[in-house]
Amino acid sequence: PDGVYGTLWSLMPPFVAIGLALITKEVYSSLFIGILSGALLNANFNVWGMVTFTTDTLIGSVADSWNVGILIFLVLLGIMVVLVNKAGGSAAYGRWASGHIKSKAGAQVATLALGSVIFIDDYFNCLTVGSVMRPVTDKFKISREKLAYIIDSTAAPVCIIAPISSWAAAVSGFVEDGISI
């Protein structure tokens, strides 16, 4: 990678991933192709080297029990959000909110409040608050960008300071092993 390190070539993977995501509206495949382009750079444009590097890196990452545990945890959180939506929890909250929230500012404060209450995990916070508050904020013509900003501004900060959260578990896991962050 000495040939591309610190050059404009190093910007190719994010440009490929972002460009493809904007063109195709398909995030996962765009990210994967961006990763492959980075692996191609790492292998100095040697296709076989790229395949070897990608395979070794992916298998090494998936074989690590810590990464597998995080992956399973995130999949379970995603499943829980889908179950809440399918069971009608989001719709029920939307009906309740439409009767109690009367203004644009109220919808934003409700988003902030709900984001502060859900502190189990920052990803779970984003998924849950986003799916629950989207209909409410749409009703008051609050842009999706502003909704995303409010959610993102509460998710990680609340999870970091909450004593019971995935962040607390991760940090205590590092402290227990004696690894400095």
Side-chain angles (χ1 to χ4, degrees), residues 62 108 153:
V62 172
Q108 293 175 44
S153 297

Side-chain angles (χ1 to χ4, degrees), residues 74 76-85 89-91 93-94 110-111 114-136 147 151 154-155:
L74 293 176
L76 290 173
L77 287 177
I79 290 170
M80 206 160 37
V81 170
V82 170
L83 285 174
V84 167
N85 286 337
S90 297
Y93 182 81
T111 303
L114 187 60
S116 298
V117 171
I118 300 174
F119 53 81
I120 297 168
D121 182 73
D122 54 335
Y123 296 127
F124 181 68
N125 181 307
C126 291
L127 291 169
T128 306
V129 177
S131 64
V132 167
M133 293 305 295
R134 187 181 318 120
V136 177
L147 173 64
I151 292 170
T154 57

Side-chain angles (χ1 to χ4, degrees), residues 15-131:
F15 283 144
V16 167
I18 293 169
L20 283 174
L22 291 173
I23 292 168
T24 64
K25 307 288 189 235
E26 177 60 40
V27 176
Y28 297 121
S29 60
S30 300
L31 284 173
F32 185 71
I33 293 170
I35 290 169
L36 290 180
S37 69
L40 188 64
L41 287 175
N42 188 44
N44 288 322
F45 299 98
N46 178 349
V47 175
W48 181 248
M50 175 196 72
V51 171
T52 305
F53 173 76
T54 305
T55 305
D56 292 346
T57 304
L58 286 175
I59 290 173
S61 294
V62 172
D64 181 22
S65 63
W66 178 261
N67 290 339
V68 172
I70 291 172
L71 182 64
I72 290 171
F73 179 71
L74 293 176
V75 167
L76 290 173
L77 287 177
I79 290 170
M80 206 160 37
V81 170
V82 170
L83 285 174
V84 167
N85 286 337
K86 294 284 184 188
S90 297
Y93 182 81
R95 285 191 301 275
W96 174 86
S98 66
H100 290 81
I101 298 172
K102 303 292 184 195
S103 68
K104 192 174 190 175
Q108 293 175 44
V109 169
T111 303
L112 183 107
L114 187 60
S116 298
V117 171
I118 300 174
F119 53 81
I120 297 168
D121 182 73
D122 54 335
Y123 296 127
F124 181 68
N125 181 307
C126 291
L127 291 169
T128 306
V129 177
S131 64

